[in-house]
Amino acid sequence: MGRQLAVGVHARAAALAALLGAVCFAGTARAQSEDGLDSDQDDSPAADKQAKDEQAQGDKTPGEKDMLPEAPPEAADDNSPLEKDGKAHKFIGLRLRNVIVPKFMINLFADGGASVNVFMIGPEFTSRKNGLEIDLAVSYADYSMDPFLFKGKNDDQFAWEMVSSDMKLVYFTSDLLFDVPIDEKGRFSFLVGAGVGIGVVFGNLYRAQAYPGGAGSNPSPDDVRAWNKCSGAGGPYCDASNNHYGDYDEPSWVNGGSKPSVFPWISFPQVSFRYKPIKQLQTRLDAGFSITGFFMGLSVGYGL
């Protein structure tokens, strides 16, 4: 009886111990589960933020992450007039000039004469490199002249001749000019230099001995309307020193006459003002002095 009671007591004690252990284990497991859940809930926003930052930074190294993005290069202006050193810039265009042959220049070598305007026009090719400009041109020049009185400087007062012309020339010229920039953008500049060339002569040069129109009159050689052409030899004004009568046409050099077959072109100095609004267009105002007189002109060129 006592033994059975002891066994029963031990059995109850063991059952109670087992029950207490189960309760304690369940409480611990529940606490750990709640702690883990809370930890996951607290760490989730931080983990999301870190993932987004890493995605934004990509695979860059730490040094690259701190670098600011470089600004994109400025687009080149295709229409900028500024010309680069070491590069040839070429233009094709048209040239127009007016050559003024003043009477005072004629009177340096002869008496009489008249001021004459000679218009020249033709294509022009320009090449520019490192501030040096070369202009090649073919120009048509009209040397037509109305009648005027003319004689040599050492001839006597009876040697007057009436001269007129319908001569034309084709000039082949080259100008060498040095560029002096005015602004930094390449729009404005001065050009200084000289030009040379040769002209081929066409047309006729008429000359005839002349005499005063009124009997006993002594008209001025500047008034060509008061003079007449000699039709033949007779009198002091119409002598037999040559056969320059009526509509006499002076032969060229190759035919033994005094009319030139070719004529030189030399200009010095020559000064130009250049305006280049855009890369593809340039304009130029020219002025200078040539062996035939003063000239001024305009040229326009398109970039090749």
Side-chain angles (χ1 to χ4, degrees):
M1 183 76 179
R3 186 173 182 181
Q4 293 177 346
L5 180 62
V7 172
V9 171
H10 287 298
R12 291 191 184 98
L16 181 60
L19 178 62
L20 290 176
V23 171
C24 290
F25 176 79
T28 302
R30 183 180 301 172
Q32 290 178 349
S33 175
E34 290 177 355
D35 290 344
L37 179 62
D38 293 341
S39 177
D40 291 342
Q41 291 176 351
D42 292 341
D43 292 344
S44 178
D48 292 342
K49 183 177 183 301
Q50 182 177 359
K52 291 180 180 179
D53 291 343
E54 291 178 354
Q55 182 178 4
Q57 293 179 353
D59 297 332
K60 296 181 180 178
T61 62
E64 292 177 333
K65 294 177 182 179
D66 297 336
M67 292 175 61
L68 295 176
E70 295 182 358
E74 295 183 359
D77 186 0
D78 293 337
N79 291 325
S80 173
L82 188 62
E83 297 176 353
K84 298 179 180 180
D85 291 339
K87 180 181 178 181
H89 300 267
K90 299 178 181 180
F91 301 84
I92 187 72
L94 186 68
R95 167 192 288 187
L96 175 65
R97 285 182 176 178
N98 179 27
V99 182
I100 303 172
V101 185
K103 184 176 182 295
F104 77 84
M105 287 187 62
I106 297 175
N107 294 155
L108 295 175
F109 310 97
D111 293 331
S115 296
V116 179
N117 285 351
V118 178
F119 292 97
M120 305 171 60
I121 188 171
E124 178 184 75
F125 173 77
T126 297
S127 178
R128 293 172 52 86
K129 184 176 181 180
N130 296 335
L132 179 65
E133 177 171 317
I134 299 176
D135 301 322
L136 304 177
V138 179
S139 302
Y140 168 81
D142 187 354
Y143 276 82
S144 298
M145 294 177 284
D146 293 330
F148 58 85
L149 272 295
F150 181 89
K151 73 178 182 66
K153 202 73 173 176
N154 298 323
D155 293 338
D156 60 35
Q157 61 177 344
F158 303 108
W160 291 105
E161 291 191 348
M162 191 178 295
V163 179
S164 64
S165 165
D166 60 11
M167 292 189 301
K168 311 295 189 294
L169 276 77
V170 176
Y171 278 110
F172 301 88
T173 61
S174 174
D175 299 334
L176 182 64
L177 305 172
F178 296 92
D179 189 89
V180 182
I182 298 178
D183 69 332
E184 296 180 353
K185 295 183 179 180
R187 290 190 175 94
F188 304 97
S189 64
F190 283 113
L191 299 167
V192 181
V196 295
I198 192 73
V200 181
V201 181
F202 303 92
N204 302 312
L205 174 63
Y206 302 102
R207 56 186 298 189
Q209 298 184 50
Y211 65 95
S217 63
N218 186 24
S220 168
D222 293 330
D223 185 9
V224 69
R225 294 171 299 178
W227 293 75
N228 297 316
K229 296 179 182 179
C230 296
S231 58
Y237 289 96
C238 305
D239 58 29
S241 60
N242 56 47
N243 60 345
H244 301 170
Y245 309 121
D247 294 326
Y248 177 79
D249 186 3
E250 180 68 24
S252 64
W253 290 344
V254 296
N255 294 319
S258 59
K259 185 184 74 174
S261 299
V262 294
F263 196 78
W265 171 271
I266 300 175
S267 63
F268 180 81
Q270 179 175 326
V271 180
S272 303
F273 174 75
R274 181 173 180 262
Y275 173 54
K276 186 181 181 185
I278 58 175
K279 176 182 178 181
Q280 297 85 359
L281 179 67
Q282 74 162 10
T283 61
R284 198 181 65 243
L285 292 173
D286 302 323
F289 180 77
S290 71
I291 60 175
T292 57
F294 303 95
F295 69 88
M296 52 188 174
L298 170 69
S299 74
V300 178
Y302 179 78
L304 299 178

